Amino acid sequence: MIINVILSLISANLLIFIIFLSKKIQKIKNEKCVLDQQLVQSQKLAAIGQLSSGIAHEINNPLAIINQEAEISLHLLDSTNLKFEEQNKELKDSLSQIKIQIKRCREITHRLLSFARKNDPIIQQTDVNALIEDMALLVEKEAKLKSIVLIRKYSPELPLINTDPPLLRQVILNLLNNAMQAIEKEGEIFITTSFNPSKIEISIKDTGSGISKRNLDKIFDPFFTTKPPGKGTGLGLSICIAIINKLGGNINVESKEGQGSNFIINLPIFYTF
Amino acid sequence: MENMKVLVVDDEGDFIELFVKRLKKRQIDIIGVESGYRALDILKKEKIDVVLLDVKMPGMDGIDTLREIKTKYPLIEVIMITGHGSVESGLQGMIHGAYDYVLKPFDLEVLLNKLKKAFERKRLKEKA
């Protein structure tokens, strides 16, 4: 009888213990899953970064030569007396077009190079609220024209952090610009900052079109874009995540199609390599 | 801000004149020019730490000038000045290595603080 009671007590406790353990395991599994995803993402970025910066570098030199030759040709056309005025004009137009297209290519190669820039961040003590506000002011005029309202919720006690200010500015401006494009017309962008003892959090949330589940996994991939050809290089967000990773932080996205998106940046207060 | 040398580039002559006067009063060594071409000429001769650069200029615009400066003198820090706040030019500026943006009209103290931070960064880069 007593043995039975003891046994049932043990088994009850054992059951509780097993439930506790399995919950713990599930939690660790989930965390591992997130970490694995981040690892794959950062490895993928590193590989593509290396490849693309190599290509960008190699293409820049021939581009520079083509540009120079086009300039020389334009110059020659100006100084020679061509009989046929109409052909002369057509030649000039076509050379100018070459120059325009070279500029476009150079824009892409520069973005690629900045994406994979090897130099280490320069760390300065930074007031993140002020940094974000500067970028908010920069987009506000354009936002007003589209009836988009920026709503700030800056934590007044946000600590200064050690980070690379121009790199962080680039990310904030990119995310604000994306938020504006996702809204198109009439909507709100919420900019929030908060912190805990080791990290600060920046959230940029819009009431725009949101991201479909299918696209959510791909938005940080280089060259992934939902914009029509020529309207976006698809490098914006991949540059953002590469920068934030370099600064010791991470970006998470919460989004549902038709219900807007929330981009959440975590950054360490004390930066270490 | 000791020993910091600043170059300001803006096509509005009146703005340059007043601005240079105000910064000299604050003991800042500063030169002003009215075009991107002139700015590149100055950089050949003078050792400049921070360039304040107007985005919208006729001829060689702010972004083209920024690109030239950053290619030839990567250590120099550039702060872009903009009157209209275009997001696209803002993004281009940041991608091509601008340190910061300042919207016209600006508060002098805010600008001085940005200059100080840009100069600090240049010194850190020189040490690295």
Side-chain angles (χ1 to χ4, degrees), chain B residues 8-26:
Chain B
V8 56
V9 194
D10 195 308
D11 60 315
E12 282 175 58
D14 295 344
F15 168 79
I16 295 270
E17 204 178 312
L18 184 69
F19 186 75
V20 168
K21 208 188 270 176
R22 284 174 83 190
L23 262 82
K24 277 192 172 153
K25 257 192 194 150
R26 300 288 190 117

Side-chain angles (χ1 to χ4, degrees), chain A residues 222-272:
Chain A
F223 301 109
F224 176 77
T225 179
T226 53
K227 291 174 196 162
K231 291 284 173 200
T233 53
L235 286 173
L237 276 178
S238 49
I239 291 176
C240 287
I241 198 156
I243 288 175
I244 294 296
N245 285 343
K246 208 188 266 186
L247 296 176
N250 224 314
I251 306 182
N252 290 306
V253 198
E254 290 163 2
S255 183
K256 264 194 187 146
E257 206 164 3
Q259 293 179 27
S261 309
N262 187 7
F263 283 80
I264 305 151
I265 303 172
N266 281 292
L267 278 174
I269 293 172
F270 304 101
Y271 176 91
T272 39

Side-chain angles (χ1 to χ4, degrees), chain A residues 5-130:
Chain A
V5 171
I6 292 172
L7 270 180
S8 67
L9 262 176
I10 289 175
S11 66
N13 274 327
L14 207 61
L15 197 67
I16 292 170
F17 184 64
I18 287 169
I19 292 171
F20 169 77
L21 257 188
S22 67
K23 273 189 181 162
K24 188 105 186 164
I25 288 168
Q26 193 54 45
K27 198 177 162 224
I28 293 170
K29 259 190 182 165
N30 287 345
E31 280 168 7
K32 187 181 171 290
C33 197
V34 171
L35 282 175
D36 279 348
Q37 273 174 0
Q38 286 176 359
L39 186 67
V40 168
Q41 184 72 38
S42 70
Q43 280 173 344
K44 198 159 73 176
L45 279 175
I48 297 171
Q50 231 171 10
L51 178 72
S52 51
S53 76
I55 294 172
H57 199 83
E58 289 303 317
I59 285 176
N60 262 345
N61 290 329
L63 273 182
I65 296 169
I66 296 172
N67 198 40
Q68 269 182 21
E69 294 292 342
E71 263 169 25
I72 292 170
S73 308
L74 270 170
H75 188 73
L76 277 174
L77 265 180
D78 273 337
S79 54
T80 43
N81 238 335
L82 277 194
K83 267 186 210 158
F84 309 102
E85 214 167 275
E86 209 167 297
Q87 276 93 331
N88 196 347
K89 196 187 161 292
E90 263 181 43
L91 259 176
K92 267 190 193 166
D93 284 350
S94 129
L95 284 168
S96 302
Q97 192 55 235
I98 289 177
K99 284 187 67 183
I100 291 170
Q101 297 305 325
I102 289 170
K103 204 171 174 183
R104 205 171 133 192
C105 294
R106 214 166 42 184
E107 213 46 53
I108 298 173
T109 54
H110 270 121
R111 274 170 210 242
L112 278 174
L113 285 172
S114 89
F115 163 68
R117 203 165 277 161
K118 284 191 188 71
N119 44 7
D120 293 325
I122 306 279
I123 301 306
Q124 291 181 280
Q125 215 173 47
T126 309
D127 177 349
V128 174
N129 283 343

Side-chain angles (χ1 to χ4, degrees), chain A residues 131-146:
Chain A
L131 184 150
I132 298 174
E133 182 56 20
D134 278 348
M135 296 302 108
L137 289 173
L138 199 59
V139 300
E140 198 151 45
K141 272 190 190 172
E142 227 168 282
K144 265 185 193 157
L145 292 177
K146 297 173 178 167

Side-chain angles (χ1 to χ4, degrees), chain B residues 11-121:
Chain B
D11 60 315
E12 282 175 58
D14 295 344
F15 168 79
I16 295 270
E17 204 178 312
L18 184 69
F19 186 75
V20 168
K21 208 188 270 176
R22 284 174 83 190
L23 262 82
K24 277 192 172 153
K25 257 192 194 150
R26 300 288 190 117
Q27 318 295 329
I28 289 174
D29 195 355
I30 179 167
I31 308 173
V33 293
E34 290 180 27
S35 77
Y37 302 106
R38 293 287 310 280
L40 292 169
D41 277 346
I42 294 283
L43 291 176
K44 270 184 217 159
K45 294 175 240 160
E46 304 267 348
K47 197 183 164 292
I48 301 287
D49 297 302
V50 183
V51 179
L52 278 165
L53 186 58
D54 189 20
V55 172
K56 219 175 171 186
M57 291 188 292
M60 191 183 204
D61 72 11
I63 299 294
D64 286 337
T65 313
L66 167 72
R67 197 182 291 152
E68 283 289 310
I69 293 174
K70 278 288 167 184
T71 314
K72 286 182 180 148
Y73 316 95
L75 283 178
I76 293 179
E77 290 300 344
V78 182
I79 297 174
M80 308 299 284
I81 315 172
T82 171
H84 56 293
S86 141
V87 179
E88 185 48 41
S89 75
L91 281 170
Q92 278 194 339
M94 295 317 304
I95 282 163
H96 288 109
Y99 179 72
D100 203 349
Y101 261 82
V102 55
L103 276 168
K104 263 190 199 172
F106 47 76
D107 186 68
L108 194 65
E109 291 307 319
V110 171
L111 182 84
L112 286 172
N113 196 37
K114 286 183 191 293
L115 282 174
K116 203 166 107 187
K117 280 284 184 184
F119 185 46
E120 178 191 87
R121 183 180 173 88

Side-chain angles (χ1 to χ4, degrees), chain A residues 54 144 158 194 207:
Chain A
K144 265 185 193 157
L158 197 76
S194 57
T207 56

